[in-house]
Amino acid sequence: MFLLAIETSCDETSAAVLDGAASIRSNVVLSQDAIHAPYGGVVPELASRRHESTIGWVVREALDQAGVSVGEIDLFAVTQGPGLIGSLLVGLSFAKALAYSRRRPLLGIDHIEAHIEAALIGSSGASFPCLASVVSGGHTSIYLMDGELEYRLLGRTRDDAAGEALDKVAKFLDLGYPGGPVIEKLGAGGDPRAFPFASPQMTDRSLDFSFSGLKTAALRHIREKGLDKTHPRLPDFLAAFEQAVVRAVLDNLGRAADRHPPRSLVLSGGVARNARLRRAFKEFARERSLEVFLPSPKLCTDNAAMVGALAWKRCARRGEAGLDLAMNAYPRFVVPTPLLRKKKSP
Ligand code: KG4
Ligand code: ZN
């Protein structure tokens, strides 16, 4: 059986072919970084227009690299949301057209759940309960999984996502886009204790995140110390800011783990490529003797293989597959269907 997955939720056009839950035959990712770099962030209209002109090539390339024809595909999968609505609609419409013309089923997949699945590809599965942190440019959320394919949102960012905060600070210093990898590179030799950052805390005991305070503190340091690209203290500042972002993610994970003791942990999303975050996360898990799941760096950022892997699992475990031509894209987080069902029952 062959599955073709498509991902266009933000600024990566991606298609992948799988012939098993962990058997990735191809995973083509076409980045739009160069298009958005002059603006220091993703410009939604440019992103959807670019998806529109490249999706055909990306899908063909994924099929060619896998050595299969579109007629051999048994199941199609596509990211349905959350993400930029124009970008999502390009992938969704393309996937619907393929499924319709080939008379094959199409599964709509949640982008954040797919990020979590990226960490589990090739493993024998997490032990439950599992706490999953998704830390990316568009989302920073923490989920409790009581079982396979069961996701309960415990907290999410109320303002900027962690990656967005890194991108904005890099933009302010004119360091390039995306900001996360640049900050990691330029801050590598810096002293993270050289600039103070207070850890964000919610006053209402919620497990939500907030990164706008850290971003404002960063901009204040930049102005007060006159920091710029060439300043000798730039590496110290970048290391300290990166460390503050890492601490905010782990402090919240610690609070979640105290309230919902897990047996395993997942870390995923674009920011999970960051070496400082990966190190701190593994150390956190080691101290608590928890099993950890992290995607390979390539599978941390947006890609269609993670969408395909989740679709494969859903199809195998729940037998879900059909073609719903009314299926629509959704821009923000929606409450997963199993939770809605649970709520309704007496
Ligand atoms: O998961 P992703 O590709 O897209 C979203 O779903 O948002 O994540 C992109 C984000 C960007 O904000 C980028 O700056 C960040 O991931 N990122 C990193 C690193 N690589 C990518 N942040 C910190 N360190 C990195 N090495
Ligand atoms: Zn993503």
Side-chain angles (χ1 to χ4, degrees), residues 29-272:
V29 181
L30 187 67
S31 165
Q32 297 183 358
D33 284 353
I35 289 170
H36 303 290
Y39 306 93
V42 179
V43 182
E45 184 176 338
L46 294 183
S48 33
R49 286 179 182 278
R50 184 69 177 164
H51 286 308
E52 186 66 35
S53 59
T54 56
I55 181 109
W57 180 85
V58 169
V59 167
R60 221 167 21 238
E61 186 63 20
L63 289 166
D64 285 353
Q65 285 186 17
V68 294
S69 70
V70 71
E72 293 173 88
I73 300 294
D74 304 286
L75 173 64
F76 294 90
V78 66
T79 303
Q80 208 183 336
L84 299 173
I85 203 74
S87 291
L88 288 163
L89 286 172
V90 175
L92 187 59
S93 305
F94 199 91
K96 271 189 200 178
L98 280 177
Y100 181 73
S101 65
R102 308 306 317 173
R103 294 186 168 49
R104 291 280 185 267
L106 169 69
L107 270 181
I109 294 293
D110 184 277
H111 180 74
I112 307 185
E113 294 175 7
H115 267 303
I116 295 174
E117 192 59 35
L120 303 174
I121 293 175
S123 75
S124 53
S127 38
F128 299 104
C130 167
L131 277 176
S133 296
V134 181
V135 191
S136 75
H139 323 277
T140 301
S141 310
I142 185 156
Y143 287 81
L144 177 65
M145 295 178 70
D146 283 317
E148 195 158 77
L149 304 175
E150 289 177 31
Y151 311 89
R152 177 152 44 117
L153 181 72
L154 297 180
R156 61 182 152 150
T157 184
R158 293 189 180 177
D159 38 59
D160 291 337
E164 193 179 357
L166 291 163
D167 292 342
K168 284 181 177 169
V169 166
K171 179 183 179 183
F172 203 76
L173 287 162
D174 196 21
L175 299 179
Y177 173 82
V182 186
I183 290 180
E184 172 160 42
K185 191 164 161 235
L186 298 179
D191 175 5
R193 290 156 305 177
F195 286 82
F197 283 98
S199 197
Q201 278 266 12
M202 288 295 147
T203 46
D204 57 3
R205 271 185 46 84
S206 109
L207 291 170
D208 281 348
F209 296 85
S210 169
F211 289 95
S212 70
L214 281 183
K215 188 186 64 191
T216 310
L219 300 188
R220 208 178 46 243
H221 283 311
I222 293 172
R223 285 207 189 91
E224 282 172 6
K225 303 283 182 318
L227 299 174
D228 63 16
K229 265 181 176 178
T230 56
H231 199 285
R233 294 191 68 198
L234 186 72
D236 289 347
F237 167 75
L238 296 178
F241 181 60
E242 189 183 86
Q243 171 76 31
V245 170
V246 167
R247 194 167 358 103
V249 171
L250 287 180
D251 283 356
N252 219 22
L253 183 62
R255 283 189 284 272
D258 290 343
R259 270 184 243 170
H260 306 275
R263 290 181 59 206
S264 64
L265 299 173
V266 160
L267 175 71
S268 61
V271 185

Side-chain angles (χ1 to χ4, degrees), residues 7 9-10 111 115 134 136-139 269-270 300-302 306:
E7 152 67 43
S9 67
C10 190
H111 180 74
H115 267 303
V134 181
S136 75
H139 323 277
C300 285
T301 37
D302 291 349
M306 67 186 190

